[in-house]
Amino acid sequence: MNDNRLGTSVSPYLRLHADNPVDWREWGPEAFAEARERGVPVLVSVGYATCHWCHVMARESFADPEIGALLRQDFVAVKVDREERPDVDASLMAAASAFTQQLGWPLTTFLTPEGHVFFAGTYFPPTPVGQVPAFRQILAAVLDAWTERRHEVDANAAAIATAIRQGAEADATARAGEGAGGAATGLPSADSIRAVTDQLSQAEDTTYGGFGGAPKFPRTPLLEFLADAARDGDAEADGLLDRSLHAIRASELTDADGGVFRYATKRDWTVPHYERMLYDNAGLLAVAGAEQARGIADFLRDTLRQDDGAFVAAQDSESTIDGQRVEGGWYRRPLSERALLEPPPLDEQVLTGWNGLAIRGLAIAGDRHDDPEMIGLARDAADALLRSHVRDGHVVVRSSTPRGASAAPATIEDVGLLAEGLLQLALVTGEVTYAVTARSLVDDGLANRFDVDAVLAGAGTATGEQPQTAMRSGTVALAAAAAGLAALTGDSAYRTAAARLVADRATTGTERPLGHADALGVALGLQRPSREVVVVTSDQHDPLRDAVRAARRPGTVIARVTPTQAADWAAAGFELFEARDALDPAAYVCHDRVCALPARSAADLAAGLAAPAA
């Protein structure tokens, strides 16, 4: 009898499996209690709604009645949406790395009823392919080990769980600033961070652009570091960034409508993996030139944007053409022909953290390229999130769909990325309400106010956020927002906390930048003297507003406000704005909050920006 329980799930990925002949459960204590009662292992399959190979494994294996019967008889089967539950995905990925370095989705893991992984892999085909066994063979081998060598299974699972727990404890100790070195001194030096550019030059694909061989990813955190280094005066970094962005823009990785695919399967950026993720496109917005940014913003507006202004997570790689599911077929048609076909479906989840990344990217791009529509899109997304995912300055919903809000707990990704996005939007628009909420979110993040999943807590395998290469991490975003708040409020504790959060990540980044670049730009800014620039003017077209764009570099916070807004910021506790409402127009250039005389013209502001710190 089929007892599949996914039909009422909020997650669109889980609902895709609601008709499988597998008795799927959602992740939770109930599934593991059932496994203990029955004395069987737990199969946990992790994927997401727009994942092509997840679709393939579903059609080949999870839709097979015989495999469904086997799983019902000898396992408790659990489906996890990695976008809805990044905490579970991170823990299982950490365990899976003991079995394979080819990590990805679908992620296939086998756990004891105590929640400890004892075997893992990714996609398994229906029949053996080279050295990769068939899924049926995997199931048979797991059952054999479970029934005939249970003591080995338990010992291996316990060892992996211990290693994960020790790693998580070491990370927590580093974040807390305990041990030798302290928070600030744990940061790599500015020189060592700048030296990363030489490593990246050696890793650059000088023939096709980008870094490494196939597959080729946008690597937006790496591009963002290059942008920070370039603004810090590194001409080599500027060249690397420009060539990488050109390769992405001019290749098949960028679709005709401006959206960017997740990666290219070939070294020359051809044969894309056709799914389009919000986080890739949002991350590129923060560094792209005007034309490229405009195309990405159009894609977000026309394809991923909901009526309320929030953005959904992704667009699928597959679509139905002539009654058949085809990967990439819709994207390979000219735009005029696409309009006659059903487009690939959307992953309709609204994820708090990913929307925070989009808000930040749109605000930065809109400000840099003087594009009010981008800033408007950022504002609409922020307002939508604040209405539905945030209550009294705290993230209360990580994921929602038209079916309602998910019960998944908010993570540091949600708090950090939304805080950074809201703070950037506040600085661009002058609207302090966004900054007030960002401050509350940063306080939540620094106080570690996150619920730990009951299963992971009981198993001792909660890892926290893991290093990422595809998108800016919540930890890094939290640190960047905290550093910004230090400049705006005068509270140096925020800056100390920011350094503590990124010290270890940045040190690793100086050693292995291709995989760990996301903290380098924030660390570089923290190693630079703090600089604050406030432009106060009632005229939206005042030349001071344009002149201040030249000040954007690591370690600098830039705000543009009207006199009334300056008073509002000061009243809300942002001390940088105190007594800034008297002159209109005026620009204030401050170093570590010690300010020069106000500049009243663009020429005076330019001179003030060029002057060294006192």
Side-chain angles (χ1 to χ4, degrees):
M1 176 181 176
N2 191 3
D3 192 23
N4 191 316
R5 305 179 188 184
L6 303 186
T8 59
S9 299
V10 169
S11 161
Y13 174 64
L14 267 55
R15 291 200 309 277
L16 288 174
H17 292 267
D19 295 328
N20 290 165
V22 179
D23 285 350
W24 291 116
R25 276 85 170 117
E26 292 197 41
W27 175 276
E30 298 80 6
F32 289 86
E34 179 184 341
R36 281 193 295 274
E37 181 180 341
R38 291 172 51 196
V40 297
V42 181
L43 162 69
V44 181
S45 174
V46 185
Y48 57 100
T50 61
C51 166
H52 170 66
W53 287 104
C54 301
H55 298 333
V56 172
M57 191 167 177
R59 290 191 288 264
E60 293 174 342
S61 296
F62 299 136
D64 185 323
E66 293 184 6
I67 287 180
L70 179 61
L71 292 174
R72 290 197 302 273
Q73 176 179 316
D74 295 315
F75 297 84
V76 169
V78 174
K79 260 291 171 194
V80 172
D81 183 336
R82 69 108 172 178
E83 294 171 356
E84 182 183 35
R85 297 304 307 265
D87 52 341
V88 174
D89 180 60
S91 176
L92 297 182
M93 277 287 183
S97 66
F99 301 95
T100 177
Q101 295 305 305
Q102 303 301 313
L103 297 173
W105 301 275
L107 178 64
T108 305
T109 58
F110 296 90
L111 288 71
T112 69
E114 291 71 39
H116 297 157
V117 174
F118 65 89
F119 183 72
T122 53
Y123 163 78
F124 290 109
T127 57
V129 177
Q131 299 299 310
V132 180
F135 187 54
R136 291 173 187 270
Q137 293 174 307
I138 291 293
L139 295 178
V142 166
L143 282 175
D144 179 71
W146 182 259
T147 56
E148 302 298 328
R149 300 185 304 281
R150 180 66 180 275
H151 64 287
E152 294 180 16
V153 167
D154 289 339
N156 290 339
I160 294 169
T162 297
I164 293 173
R165 182 169 58 253
Q166 290 173 344
E169 290 171 351
D171 288 345
T173 298
R175 287 195 301 272
E178 300 172 5
T185 56
L187 286 171
S189 68
D191 286 342
S192 66
I193 297 172
R194 288 175 64 95
V196 168
T197 304
D198 292 334
Q199 295 185 54
L200 296 177
S201 293
Q202 296 299 314
E204 184 185 19
D205 183 341
T206 56
T207 302
Y208 297 110
F211 302 92
K216 277 274 182 68
F217 288 84
R219 297 181 183 265
T220 54
L222 182 59
L223 298 182
E224 182 131 7
F225 162 66
L226 290 173
D228 285 331
R231 285 189 290 269
D232 199 51
D234 188 336
E236 187 178 11
D238 192 38
L240 285 168
L241 174 65
D242 185 65
R243 291 190 295 274
S244 295
L245 288 174
H246 175 77
I248 292 169
R249 183 175 67 252
S251 72
E252 293 179 21
L253 198 70
T254 296
D255 191 31
D257 66 359
V260 177
F261 298 113
R262 184 162 169 250
Y263 64 88
T265 61
K266 303 295 184 182
R267 179 190 161 199
D268 63 357
W269 297 97
T270 59
V271 192
H273 189 62
Y274 285 99
E275 61 188 313
R276 301 198 284 187
M277 315 302 294
L278 175 60
Y279 61 76
D280 286 323
N281 287 274
L284 282 168
L285 272 171
V287 297
E291 181 181 353
Q292 190 172 24
R294 184 64 258 174
I296 293 170
D298 289 347
F299 162 66
L300 296 188
R301 180 197 63 208
D302 298 339
T303 302
L304 298 188
R305 187 176 185 267
Q306 294 192 140
D307 290 341
D308 66 355
F311 298 102
V312 300
Q315 187 174 32
D316 209 316
S317 61
E318 296 185 357
S319 62
T320 301
I321 299 177
D322 297 330
Q324 305 248 331
R325 290 285 285 182
V326 181
E327 186 199 10
W330 187 81
Y331 298 104
R332 289 190 291 268
R333 302 287 181 97
L335 289 176
S336 59
E337 291 185 22
R338 288 187 201 179
L340 306 176
L341 300 171
E342 180 182 348
L346 299 174
D347 178 346
E348 60 188 1
Q349 285 188 96
V350 172
L351 299 168
T352 298
W354 294 16
N355 270 265
L357 194 65
I359 293 164
R360 174 178 180 263
L362 286 164
I364 289 174
D367 180 48
R368 178 186 299 144
H369 306 305
D370 195 20
D371 190 322
E373 189 197 16
M374 292 188 197
I375 297 173
L377 290 171
R379 190 197 306 269
D380 290 346
D383 292 345
L385 267 289
L386 293 175
R387 284 192 300 268
S388 58
H389 285 208
V390 177
R391 184 177 305 125
D392 298 326
H394 309 285
V395 176
V396 294
V397 174
R398 167 172 171 77
S399 169
S400 67
T401 72
R403 286 176 168 247
S406 167
T411 68
I412 194 169
E413 175 181 285
D414 302 302
V415 170
L417 290 173
L418 183 59
E420 189 181 24
L422 291 176
L423 190 59
Q424 185 65 52
L425 183 61
L427 294 171
V428 167
T429 62
E431 296 180 22
V432 70
T433 53
Y434 297 126
V436 170
T437 301
R439 182 173 57 192
S440 177
L441 295 177
V442 169
D443 290 344
D444 280 354
L446 296 181
N448 202 33
R449 296 189 183 113
F450 304 105
D451 294 332
V452 178
D453 175 77
V455 175
L456 299 180
T461 56
T463 63
E465 189 182 49
Q466 297 298 291
Q468 303 180 55
T469 59
M471 63 179 282
R472 191 170 180 85
S473 76
T475 300
V476 169
L478 180 65
L485 286 175
L488 296 168
T489 65
D491 186 347
S492 62
Y494 281 123
R495 189 174 176 92
T496 300
R500 186 177 67 240
L501 285 169
V502 299
D504 283 352
R505 287 172 179 258
T507 298
T508 303
T510 61
E511 300 162 352
R512 301 195 300 277
L514 286 180
H516 299 81
D518 64 350
L520 290 172
V522 176
L524 183 61
L526 290 167
Q527 288 290 24
R528 291 293 185 236
S530 172
R531 182 170 70 163
E532 304 84 29
V533 184
V534 179
V535 172
V536 183
T537 176
S538 301
D539 182 0
Q540 292 297 310
H541 302 289
D542 193 295
L544 286 173
R545 297 180 65 89
D546 293 328
V548 79
R549 288 191 176 97
R552 191 167 184 265
R553 64 162 174 74
T556 295
V557 172
I558 302 170
R560 299 186 190 87
V561 293
T562 66
T564 299
Q565 288 175 330
D568 292 341
W569 281 77
F574 296 94
E575 295 180 0
L576 181 66
F577 297 87
E578 287 186 358
R580 300 292 187 231
D581 59 339
L583 297 177
D584 181 9
Y588 302 85
V589 178
C590 314
H591 292 89
D592 198 18
R593 297 176 50 78
V594 177
C595 303
L597 292 174
R600 306 301 302 276
S601 68
D604 288 344
L605 175 56
L609 293 173

